[in-house]
Amino acid sequence: MQQVLENELSGISFAESENQKMIADMVRDFGKKEILPRMMEWDESQEFPVQVFKKLGGLGLMGVLVPEEYGGSGFGYPEYVTAIAELSKICGSIGLSMAAHNSLCTGHILQHANEEQKRKYLPKLASAEWIGAWGLTEPNTGSDAGNMRTVAVKDGDYYVINGAKNFITHARTGNVAVVIVRTGEVGDSHGMTAFIIEKGTPGFSSGKKENKLGMRASETAELIFTDCRVHKSQMIGKEGDGFIQAMKVLDGGRISIAALSLGIAQGAFEAALKYSHERHQFNKPISTFQGIAFKLADMATKIEAAKLLTYRAADLKQKGHNVNRESAMAKLYASEVAVDVANEGVQIFGGYGYTKDFPAEKYYRDAKLCTIGEGTSEIQKLVISRAILK
């Protein structure tokens, strides 16, 4: 086992590439102009700023992993992690929506759709002409996806879908959704199928928008299906492949949530570090007090460890390795670090950290979602333990 690990690590370089530097600089400049001025306004009103994502599409950040032949940027996972992390340092909501669009809807089509489907949908998604959604979770089946109740019944060349999905990013604004529904027996991992469903399809609508603690500018709502007829040509892969496809999509998606977590943690840390130099008590900066300095040391160390786990998973994914364990480890650790660092950030800001005049409270609210979305921390531990106990 140790030799395998050493072999895996031997070819990994975490030196930032020119492409990563370019992406980081581009995102920072974009964030200052297009996100920071209205970020809190969107947070307060829970507005999903579609115009921001259209502009991100123009920069190539809504199709980061999509090959150039389909209108994407053709970058790899290290560049993708850099883009998400830099966006999330500025605003978790924007980072989350960018990641969900890339990893889930676009990622599912990229990895599992046929050539005709790829050519039809990927150029529109990569340019952000269309915003994508992805539906797996249901009101009564979160982690227990195998017991989903949204059902598709075959009727000639069509499938008639009835049911609902919830906690779906871009459920209202999305122009197209990849949805996993049940076509077989409850609990059968080969009894679920994925379909691409366009907005405007009769019987396909959006429902309640969630009023959330954090990530408030990232739209989360229901998808509702009422006798929704979907042609068999919209099926991704074969009937019964949907759940297996979804699990593979989530392996990559968890790397994106690790990157999201990393960005939020870095943003919270940098804000706290800056404030610790500016805030004076007893005639000196609070950074000079050991109580604060040790907090900063712990925060920086945890972030560095999360960064290494995240970029290692990205590197292995880029090389075509199975990253079931590695993506779960990165997501588990980075998300918990985001919560810890954001919490300490509020503490360093003191009373001001509890107000919306300073950035600490937003990082604190946004971070918690990272331990829940795309598999809770408990589910990550289940994935990891199964991998190591084989």
Side-chain angles (χ1 to χ4, degrees):
M1 180 68 180
Q2 183 62 34
Q3 185 61 49
V4 171
L5 183 60
E6 288 174 1
N7 289 341
E8 284 180 350
L9 289 171
S10 63
I12 296 177
S13 171
F14 294 114
E16 193 177 45
S17 69
E18 286 303 314
N19 281 336
Q20 286 174 278
K21 290 176 184 175
M22 176 196 72
I23 289 169
D25 289 342
M26 179 176 70
V27 171
R28 281 193 285 267
D29 289 344
F30 179 85
K32 288 176 185 176
K33 296 173 186 174
E34 304 290 345
I35 300 174
L36 275 174
R38 297 189 62 193
M39 182 177 71
M40 291 309 295
E41 176 189 335
W42 297 327
D43 185 79
E44 290 288 331
S45 65
Q46 299 199 70
E47 177 187 347
F48 177 61
V50 179
Q51 70 280 5
V52 168
F53 295 94
K54 300 291 185 184
K55 291 175 181 177
L56 285 173
L59 296 177
L61 295 179
M62 295 298 272
V64 181
L65 300 171
V66 176
E68 291 181 32
E69 64 179 299
Y70 301 117
S73 297
F75 287 128
Y77 268 82
E79 290 87 357
Y80 182 39
V81 165
T82 298
I84 297 171
E86 289 296 334
L87 271 177
S88 305
K89 279 171 67 174
I90 302 163
C91 177
S93 292
I94 304 300
L96 172 62
S97 275
M98 179 269 202
H101 174 94
N102 275 278
S103 287
L104 301 181
C105 180
T106 306
H108 197 136
I109 293 171
L110 178 62
Q111 292 176 54
H112 300 291
N114 60 41
E115 189 63 23
E116 183 181 350
Q117 291 167 336
K118 288 180 182 179
R119 294 200 177 279
K120 181 177 180 180
Y121 292 107
L122 289 179
K124 291 180 179 179
L125 289 164
S127 65
E129 177 186 346
W130 280 15
I131 300 295
W134 191 77
L136 179 65
T137 301
E138 297 184 3
N140 296 312
T141 58
S143 300
D144 185 16
N147 273 315
M148 65 173 58
R149 294 296 189 266
T150 300
V151 176
V153 178
K154 200 169 189 306
D155 181 20
D157 287 341
Y158 288 81
Y159 285 80
V160 181
I161 303 175
N162 282 283
K165 300 287 181 180
N166 74 332
F167 297 130
I168 308 303
T169 306
H170 312 146
R172 288 187 169 188
T173 303
N175 304 92
V176 64
V178 172
V179 182
I180 296 87
V181 298
R182 185 161 61 82
T183 49
E185 296 300 315
V186 172
D188 180 5
S189 62
H190 294 282
M192 289 163 274
T193 304
F195 290 91
I196 306 171
I197 309 177
E198 295 180 22
K199 190 174 186 178
T201 301
F204 178 43
S205 61
S206 58
K208 175 192 173 188
K209 181 179 177 180
E210 302 297 340
N211 184 7
K212 299 179 297 182
L213 168 72
M215 303 290 195
R216 288 167 62 85
S218 178
E219 178 186 279
T220 307
E222 291 178 312
L223 291 176
I224 299 171
F225 305 89
T226 308
D227 294 330
C228 178
R229 293 175 64 83
V230 180
H231 194 266
K232 64 181 182 181
S233 63
Q234 296 301 103
M235 183 189 299
I236 300 180
K238 298 176 182 177
E239 183 175 313
D241 286 351
F243 185 74
I244 306 303
Q245 293 172 3
M247 294 304 102
K248 291 178 180 177
V249 168
L250 285 174
D251 278 347
R254 284 167 181 160
I255 295 173
S256 73
I257 300 302
L260 172 71
S261 306
L262 178 62
I264 291 172
Q266 287 175 324
F269 170 74
E270 288 175 12
L273 179 64
K274 182 174 181 288
Y275 183 78
S276 74
H277 290 305
E278 296 170 349
R279 174 70 168 172
H280 284 66
Q281 292 286 276
F282 306 102
N283 299 316
K284 55 185 177 180
I286 62 171
S287 60
T288 62
F289 294 107
Q290 193 176 75
I292 300 298
F294 278 15
K295 284 184 186 295
L296 292 167
D298 285 339
M299 292 159 78
T301 303
K302 289 177 180 179
I303 289 169
E304 197 64 25
K307 184 176 181 180
L308 290 169
L309 277 171
T310 302
Y311 276 98
R312 175 171 180 260
D315 182 85
L316 292 172
K317 177 71 173 174
Q318 185 61 29
K319 291 174 179 173
H321 292 284
N322 182 326
V323 293
N324 181 252
R325 182 191 66 175
E326 287 76 14
S327 65
M329 285 179 169
K331 197 269 188 189
L332 168 65
Y333 188 76
S335 64
E336 295 291 344
V337 163
V339 172
D340 289 345
V341 170
N343 179 54
E344 291 288 42
V346 172
Q347 195 71 16
I348 289 170
F349 272 85
Y352 292 112
Y354 207 67
T355 72
K356 291 183 181 290
D357 295 324
F358 290 84
E361 65 86 30
K362 185 175 183 297
Y363 289 121
Y364 183 73
R365 289 186 290 109
D366 287 348
K368 188 56 195 169
L369 185 276
C370 298
T371 67
I372 300 169
E374 294 196 36
T376 62
S377 291
E378 291 72 22
I379 288 295
Q380 305 313 313
K381 290 178 183 179
L382 184 64
V383 170
I384 296 163
S385 63
R386 284 177 175 173
I388 63 177
L389 291 171
K390 276 185 180 178

